[in-house]
Amino acid sequence: MPEDKKFIKEFEQKVKDTIKKYKLCNKKERIIVACSGGKDSTTVLYLLHKWGYQVEGLIIDLLIGPWSEENLKNAQSFCQDHKIKLNVVNLRNEFGCSMCFMRSGIQKKVKLNNCMICGIIKRWLLNKKTRELKADKIVTGHNLDDAAETFMMNLLKGNMKLNLGQGPATGVIKDKKFVPRIKPLYFCLNEEVKRYSQINKFPVLLEACPCSVEVFRKKIRRNLTEMEKNNSQIKHNIVANFLKLLPSLKNKYKNNEKLNYCTACQEPSRQEFCKMCELIKIWKS
Ligand code: SF4
Ligand code: ZN
């Protein structure tokens, strides 16, 4: 359909412009896309591969029942069809059990929600595995909706410092053990990524994770969607204004952002022990 062709052209141009404007990556770098099997990471993997970047996928199999199985199957079939190498990290090989088992062990001892625990484990593994693969950058599939929601959540929680890691590229941290993260879909709306992946018939699951408990994020999402009915630019405006604030935010916290290495695992950490090792300590206690 002609309107699909026009949409695809504009969508791809927007992603290209983001990469260029923020100097996100170049074709000499080794790039790992953090794949979930979902529409966002599949779209960004497809585009970077199509444009000739040295790209591989990495999926962390969280072993969350049929949802994880389906996502893994989709990522594998997509990568096979497009001749892209997919690195699979299986939680059982890393920790001897599934995410659900690990999480319930931790939750018997501390009050942390599913996504907090899962997020810490995924971030730790992603950085470590990507560095072991000698990659220069980690690409995530975060889109404009994610960016607007995250900024509003941190603002309403009264913790602007959490926004330091936001933006199309990672915040102020520069360290040889920390692989920089980039978000080429940063200016693409969730609905646009969905449409792009549907037009291209990517094998992706649109169902949310069965363990998702992000109540606050969902509330913000509902409110933004409601407000969007009267102002279609609302998410763009939030993100554009956040990006105007970001340089002064980085400047304010630049001296506080020293990174050390965790005493237990030697991974980057601001404290003596990283959040991952703190979780393991709680789990095994
Ligand atoms: Fe993990 Fe939460 Fe994402 Fe599910 S929704 S994969 S529990 S972070
Ligand atoms: Zn550690």
Side-chain angles (χ1 to χ4, degrees):
M1 278 197 284
E3 59 276 26
D4 281 349
K5 269 194 179 162
K6 184 172 175 276
F7 166 78
I8 285 195
K9 203 170 156 221
E10 286 170 359
F11 180 90
E12 293 187 354
Q13 194 55 49
K14 185 151 56 174
V15 182
K16 272 187 188 162
D17 291 346
T18 306
I19 294 174
K20 195 170 165 206
K21 180 170 178 191
Y22 292 92
K23 299 186 178 60
L24 294 188
C25 51
N26 63 57
K27 291 184 183 166
K28 289 186 190 138
E29 291 172 326
R30 259 173 71 78
I31 298 168
I32 295 288
V33 173
C35 296
S36 65
K39 67 181 190 330
D40 303 283
S41 53
T42 304
T43 296
V44 76
L45 179 61
Y46 170 80
L47 287 173
L48 293 177
H49 175 69
K50 174 175 156 173
W51 294 332
Y53 288 88
Q54 291 184 57
V55 72
E56 289 177 19
L58 186 147
I59 186 164
I60 301 174
D61 187 0
L62 300 170
L63 305 162
I64 305 182
W67 182 79
S68 284
E69 283 165 22
E70 192 67 21
N71 278 315
L72 178 63
K73 209 171 72 197
N74 285 340
Q76 283 172 327
S77 88
F78 176 84
C79 287
Q80 199 173 6
D81 288 352
H82 292 85
K83 300 189 175 37
I84 301 171
K85 184 175 174 203
L86 179 67
N87 303 279
V88 181
V89 176
N90 182 300
L91 223 64
R92 194 161 281 124
N93 296 339
E94 300 298 321
F95 302 109
C97 62
S98 69
M99 173 62 72
C100 310
F101 186 85
M102 214 168 155
R103 207 176 48 212
S104 68
I106 295 166
Q107 285 169 334
K108 277 184 195 140
K109 295 171 183 160
V110 283
K111 217 175 150 217
L112 284 176
N113 77 39
N114 295 354
C115 296
M116 274 178 188
I117 297 172
C118 182
I120 291 172
I121 297 171
K122 282 195 300 187
R123 275 194 297 278
W124 184 87
L125 272 176
L126 189 58
N127 190 64
K128 187 167 182 280
K129 295 293 170 186
T130 312
R131 199 184 59 242
E132 286 170 6
L133 287 166
K134 301 197 185 331
D136 299 293
K137 300 266 166 76
I138 297 174
V139 171
T140 64
H142 290 94
N143 61 42
L144 188 85
D145 291 54
D146 300 321
E149 288 161 15
T150 304
F151 174 70
M152 290 309 295
M153 283 166 70
N154 294 337
L155 183 73
L156 296 175
K157 277 190 222 158
N159 196 345
M160 280 298 277
K161 201 178 162 192
L162 288 177
N163 281 319
L164 275 177
Q166 302 305 312
T170 26
V172 285
I173 307 169
K174 283 199 175 54
D175 184 272
K176 63 179 187 319
K177 281 194 148 186
F178 186 79
V179 186
R181 296 177 185 208
I182 56 169
K183 303 167 190 164
L185 303 184
Y186 194 77
F187 295 100
C188 302
L189 284 164
N190 189 54
E191 276 307 310
E192 292 173 332
V193 185
K194 191 171 162 191
R195 182 171 170 196
Y196 187 85
S197 90
Q198 282 171 337
I199 296 172
N200 283 291
K201 299 191 171 46
F202 294 149
V204 294
L205 202 61
L206 293 174
E207 258 167 61
C209 163
C211 302
S212 167
V213 287
E214 294 192 293
V215 182
F216 189 37
R217 180 178 290 276
K218 283 179 191 158
K219 222 179 248 179
I220 302 263
R221 186 175 304 160
R222 263 201 311 275
N223 285 326
L224 291 181
T225 307
E226 194 51 42
M227 286 190 274
E228 210 178 19
K229 289 178 189 160
N230 298 321
N231 179 356
S232 64
Q233 290 303 301
I234 202 145
K235 291 171 189 162
H236 292 96
N237 291 346
I238 291 171
V239 168
N241 280 296
F242 159 63
L243 290 176
K244 281 186 204 154
L245 279 177
L246 192 56
S248 56
L249 206 60
K250 284 186 181 178
N251 202 27
K252 182 168 180 219
Y253 291 108
K254 72 173 182 241
N255 295 327
N256 300 340
E257 286 306 301
K258 295 240 161 36
L259 209 61
N260 295 313
Y261 299 112
C262 169
T263 309
C265 70
Q266 308 305 319
E267 286 298 302
S269 170
R270 290 198 185 89
Q271 314 298 332
E272 189 186 352
F273 292 100
C274 71
K275 288 184 180 163
M276 179 69 211
C277 289
E278 292 287 359
L279 279 187
I280 302 273
K281 231 194 299 176
I282 293 168
W283 184 35
K284 303 265 155 109
S285 67

